[in-house]
């Protein structure tokens, strides 16, 4: 399915400008409409803020500041999206719930990690990259902290592949990117002593769709699968990672670890996720 509607998450945070620039570039490239949803409720709070009273006071003050900044940010949106089809909406509430509600009418959702949250300077209140892929069938494009505005997305794609419903949905959702990519690598991480043709089988399927992909297999010899995926992305010079999110339950991955959790924690390139 072509990408014709992009739901853009906007907020008064440290990554909104990056999300806006990426969404604008994708909309121009794909001739897509942008739904810019500005959520005034804070996405994070200072790591040192503790206690119910401190949290309540911060939330009230930060929400008021977000509303004060809404007019300025809207001007930035209108300037960045000049000549493109878009709409602008302001809401308050849980970011994931509001995005999931609107995502039913979009083909792609653009969100981002926070550099301050990753650095431990702030505490995430909504865990958007973690939760949103579980709440909507619409593919979610997660940007890393400080994604360069001019950096291309989707010229060199790495597909983290396993024969699972989550991975299959991710590949189908990524077809507009795969069809336009200069190179596509299908990566499978194999347990020691085992070998499958999963990567080669997907490459054959992609070839029949006129996508020139190549398979790559690595052995999970005691290493964390998520770290291996990120390492291969770096080695291949990938500018987009495509993968299924949370093949196990999210609770199990949060407690025991898992590829999705590791990739999101160490993300250095945009990732297209579906569950």
């Amino acid at each position: 399915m072509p990408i014709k509607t992009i739901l853009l998450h906007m907020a008064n945070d440290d990554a909104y400008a990056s999300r806006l620039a990426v969404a604008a570039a994708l909309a121009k490239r794909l001739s897509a409409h942008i739904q810019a949803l500005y959520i005034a409720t804070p996405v994070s709070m200072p790591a040192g803020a503790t206690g119910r009273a401190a949290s309540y006071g911060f939330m009230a003050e930060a929400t008021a500041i977000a509303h004060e900044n809404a007019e300025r940010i809207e001007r930035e949106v209108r300037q960045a999206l000049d000549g493109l089809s878009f709409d602008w909406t302001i809401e308050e509430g849980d970011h994931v719930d509001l995005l999931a509600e609107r995502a039913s009418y979009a083909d792609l959702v653009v969100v981002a990690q926070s550099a301050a949250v990753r650095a431990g300077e702030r505490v995430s209140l909504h865990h958007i990259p973690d939760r949103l892929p579980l709440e909507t069938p619409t593919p979610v494009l997660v940007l890393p902290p400080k994604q360069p505005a001019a950096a291309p997305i989707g010229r060199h794609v790495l597909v983290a592949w396993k024969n699972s419903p989550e991975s299959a949905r991710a590949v189908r959702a990524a077809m507009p990117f795969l069809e336009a990519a200069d190179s596509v690598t299908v990566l499978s991480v194999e347990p020691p002593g085992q070998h499958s043709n999963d990567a080669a089988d997907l490459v054959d399927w992609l070839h029949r769709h006129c996508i020139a992909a190549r398979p790559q297999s690595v052995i999970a010899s005691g290493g964390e699968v998520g770290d291996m995926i990120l390492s291969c992305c770096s080695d291949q010079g990938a500018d987009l990672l495509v993968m299924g999110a949370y093949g196990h339950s999210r609770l199990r991955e949060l407690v025991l670890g898992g590829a999705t959790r590791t990739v999101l924690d160490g993300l250095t390139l945009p990732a297209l996720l579906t569950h």
Side-chain angles (χ1 to χ4, degrees):
M1 177 185 292
I3 296 172
K4 291 301 176 185
T5 302
I6 298 172
L7 176 59
L8 169 61
H9 173 230
M10 293 296 289
N12 188 38
D13 66 337
D14 64 2
Y16 80 84
S18 173
R19 295 194 297 273
L20 174 58
V22 168
L26 289 175
K28 291 175 183 177
R29 172 175 153 191
L30 301 169
S31 300
H33 173 84
I34 290 183
Q35 296 178 341
L37 176 60
Y38 181 84
I39 304 175
T41 306
V43 295
S44 62
M45 65 186 301
T50 58
R52 181 177 298 179
S55 299
Y56 180 81
F58 169 80
M59 292 287 287
E61 181 180 3
T63 300
I65 292 173
H67 277 292
E68 292 173 3
N69 290 337
E71 185 175 346
R72 172 182 57 81
I73 294 176
E74 182 180 1
R75 287 197 300 268
E76 294 181 35
V77 169
R78 292 189 178 279
Q79 181 178 3
L81 303 183
D82 184 40
L84 297 172
S85 174
F86 74 95
D87 57 67
W88 166 267
T89 307
I90 300 176
E91 298 276 4
E92 284 186 29
D94 184 281
H95 288 246
V96 172
D97 290 344
L98 291 170
L99 287 167
E101 181 180 347
R102 296 293 186 93
S104 297
Y105 310 105
D107 304 304
L108 181 71
V109 188
V110 177
V111 303
Q113 291 183 324
S114 165
V117 168
R118 176 181 283 189
E121 299 165 4
R122 298 182 72 85
V123 176
S124 175
L125 296 173
H126 300 274
H127 303 283
I128 298 168
D130 297 287
R131 291 173 53 206
L132 188 57
L134 296 174
E135 300 295 332
T136 175
T138 304
V140 178
L141 181 65
V142 180
L143 305 179
K146 300 180 180 178
Q147 166 72 14
I153 294 178
R155 290 167 63 180
H156 303 286
V157 182
L158 186 138
V159 178
W161 176 252
K162 60 186 292 188
N163 190 3
S164 69
E166 295 82 12
S167 293
R169 282 191 284 269
V171 170
R172 282 159 174 77
M175 288 300 282
F177 293 99
L178 299 177
E179 291 167 348
D182 293 335
S183 67
V184 176
T185 300
V186 177
L187 173 71
S188 63
V189 180
E190 307 283 355
Q194 297 186 27
H195 175 73
S196 74
N197 292 319
D198 286 351
D201 289 343
L202 181 64
V203 165
D204 288 343
W205 181 82
L206 290 172
H207 283 176
R208 288 190 286 273
H209 286 269
C210 301
I211 296 170
R214 69 177 190 88
Q216 179 184 3
S217 295
V218 295
I219 304 300
S221 54
E224 165 61 52
V225 171
D227 288 332
M228 299 180 75
I229 291 172
L230 290 174
S231 177
C232 287
C233 285
S234 178
D235 293 343
Q236 296 294 332
D239 55 33
L240 178 64
L241 168 64
V242 174
M243 66 180 291
Y246 296 112
H248 303 293
S249 73
R250 179 173 177 269
L251 178 61
R252 177 181 171 185
E253 292 217 7
L254 288 174
V255 174
L256 301 178
T260 310
R261 176 76 265 154
T262 302
V263 165
L264 287 173
D265 284 345
L267 195 63
T268 57
L269 75 166
L272 185 71
L273 305 178
T274 63
H275 177 63

